[in-house]
């Protein structure tokens, strides 16, 4: 291989350092978010109220970032469609289901099932020809799925399990997978990450507010409790970083790598739930976490190989 070809291969490999770093950082924030939501429920904050104000706070943070970067969200028909559909599937509905289930199934279980979207996203991407089949990536997705499946089976077999809330929680990953595909397919032309992230979160806050008005669920939160306000502020910052990294990862790594955010979130979120929140370790944790970690490595490595060999001259 010539020196020029070697430089191209090296450059293509280096382009995967950015999405891999986004995957690790975004996954860490996902794991933290799940545990903050668990603690919020423990001190009496309702899932809808906590989610609404946290999303609203994150939207304000990202709008300020967009203003500083002079990349404000656009409000044409295409962008508005993108904001509201992505907000409904990826933020409002998915997170409301997951946050509502956490008090009943635990933060560790919710963190674990967030590793399920890769298989659904990968299958959807293959069916829509957004991704060509790659054996290494397919094995990685299967490994991550097996890891989550092992622990989910143990959860179903536990004597105090609420099947209803487990099923509600499992709807979250399905919506997240649909959102991964939608956001990739409908990314508005020439739209920046700094503009799309706050636009989606503003739309999510509007949808959650409308849901509150049309139902018996309230978004009211007592401002007299300093701990509640502090938790909302923390979750707002976590959400802001999480969704900014989500769009950056989607742009640089594609929908399949993006879908592994939940798997990485499980690796971070489960130990936090066990050691800081006092939850019992899920059955099959060692095997499940190991399989998830192997899956992340294989999917990332497969993506590197696809990029390199596609670009490498024959």
């Amino acid at each position: 291989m010539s020196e020029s070809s070697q430089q191209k291969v090296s450059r293509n490999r280096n382009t995967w350092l950015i999405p891999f770093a986004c995957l690790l950082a975004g996954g860490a924030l996902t794991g933290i978010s799940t545990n903050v939501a668990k603690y919020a429920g423990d001190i009496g904050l309702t899932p809808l109220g906590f989610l609404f104000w946290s999303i609203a706070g994150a939207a304000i943070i990202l709008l300020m970032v967009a203003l500083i970067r002079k990349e404000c969200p656009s409000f044409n028909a295409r962008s508005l469609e993108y904001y509201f559909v992505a907000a409904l599937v990826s933020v409002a509905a998915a997170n409301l289901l997951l946050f509502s289930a956490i008090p009943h199934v635990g933060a560790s279980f919710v963190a674990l099932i967030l590793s399920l979207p890769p298989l659904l996203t990968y299958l959807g991407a293959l069916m829509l020809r957004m991704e060509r089949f790659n054996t290494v990536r397919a094995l990685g997705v299967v490994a991550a799925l097996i890891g989550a499946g092992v622990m989910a089976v143990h959860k179903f077999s536990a004597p105090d399990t609420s099947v209803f809330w487990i099923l509600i929680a499992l709807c979250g990953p399905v919506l997240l997978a649909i959102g991964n595909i939608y956001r990739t397919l409908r990314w508005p032309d020439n739209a920046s990450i700094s503009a799309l992230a706050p636009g989606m979160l503003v739309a999510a806050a509007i949808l959650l507010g409308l849901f509150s008005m049309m139902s018996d669920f309230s978004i009211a939160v007592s401002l007299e409790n300093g701990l509640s306000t502090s938790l909302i502020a923390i979750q707002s910052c976590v959400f802001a970083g999480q969704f900014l990294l989500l769009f950056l990862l989607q742009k640089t790594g594609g929908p399949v790598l993006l879908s592994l955010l939940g798997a990485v979130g499980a690796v971070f979120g489960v130990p936090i739930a066990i050691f800081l929140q006092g939850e019992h370790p899920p059955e099959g944790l060692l095997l499940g976490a190991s399989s998830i970690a192997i899956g992340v490595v294989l999917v990332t490595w497969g993506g590197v190989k696809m990029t390199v060999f596609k670009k490498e001259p024959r």
Side-chain angles (χ1 to χ4, degrees):
M1 186 185 298
S2 67
E3 182 177 349
S4 176
S5 297
Q6 290 177 343
Q7 290 175 347
K8 288 182 180 179
V9 172
S10 177
R11 185 164 58 249
N12 287 329
R13 290 185 185 277
N14 289 336
T15 60
W16 276 88
L17 293 176
I18 294 176
F20 186 69
C22 291
L23 177 63
L24 292 180
L29 290 176
T30 300
I32 292 171
S33 172
T34 303
N35 282 277
V36 173
K38 166 70 162 52
Y39 189 66
D42 290 343
I43 65 171
L45 286 171
T46 65
L48 181 60
F50 180 66
L51 181 61
F52 172 82
W53 291 110
S54 298
I55 290 292
I60 292 172
I61 293 172
L62 292 184
L63 280 173
M64 292 174 61
V65 173
L67 286 172
I68 293 172
R69 295 173 61 90
K70 298 182 179 179
E71 296 179 351
C72 296
S74 59
F75 295 101
N76 54 52
R78 173 69 182 280
S79 296
L80 288 174
E81 175 225 309
Y82 187 89
Y83 298 152
F84 279 94
V85 176
L88 175 63
V89 179
S90 304
V91 185
N95 281 285
L96 185 58
L97 291 175
L98 292 171
F99 280 23
S100 298
I102 284 174
H104 305 278
V105 299
S108 59
F109 179 72
V110 169
L112 288 170
I113 65 169
L114 286 176
S115 59
L116 292 176
L119 177 62
L120 299 175
T121 304
Y122 188 63
L123 291 176
L126 287 176
M127 291 172 60
L128 295 171
R129 298 184 179 180
M130 299 167 60
E131 178 103 4
R132 61 186 178 87
F133 182 79
N134 176 272
T135 304
V136 175
R137 300 196 95 185
L139 289 174
V141 169
V142 171
L145 181 67
I146 289 173
V150 166
M151 289 177 281
V153 168
H154 283 292
K155 187 69 175 180
F156 268 110
S157 62
D160 58 344
T161 295
S162 170
V163 175
F164 171 77
W165 283 109
I166 288 179
L167 294 176
I168 290 294
L170 288 173
C171 290
V174 176
L175 292 175
L176 291 174
I178 294 172
N180 292 338
I181 297 291
Y182 173 81
R183 289 194 313 275
T184 301
L185 285 176
R186 297 292 292 169
W187 189 290
D189 296 334
N190 302 318
S192 70
I193 295 167
S194 298
L196 292 180
M200 185 181 73
L201 291 185
V202 169
I206 292 173
L207 290 173
L208 290 170
L210 290 174
F211 176 74
S212 173
M213 292 168 54
M214 295 185 294
S215 68
D216 295 330
F217 298 96
S218 174
I219 59 173
V221 172
S222 175
L223 298 178
E224 297 178 0
N225 188 339
L227 182 57
S228 298
T229 306
S230 298
L231 277 181
I232 290 173
I234 292 171
Q235 188 75 307
S236 295
C237 294
V238 171
F239 271 154
Q242 180 182 337
F243 286 107
L244 197 60
L245 287 168
L246 179 145
F247 276 99
L248 182 57
L249 178 58
Q250 180 173 348
K251 190 71 172 177
T252 58
V256 177
L257 191 64
L258 169 70
S259 69
L260 286 174
L261 269 177
V264 180
V267 174
F268 284 94
V270 174
I272 294 174
I274 293 172
F275 294 111
L276 296 184
Q277 305 229 51
E279 291 192 4
H280 294 293
E283 296 290 335
L285 176 61
L286 180 59
L287 176 60
S290 300
S291 297
I292 290 170
I294 291 171
V296 172
V297 172
L298 289 177
V299 171
T300 306
W301 182 38
V304 172
K305 290 181 66 178
M306 288 173 65
T307 303
V308 170
F309 289 117
K310 182 171 65 174
K311 298 290 187 180
E312 182 180 339
R314 296 186 183 278

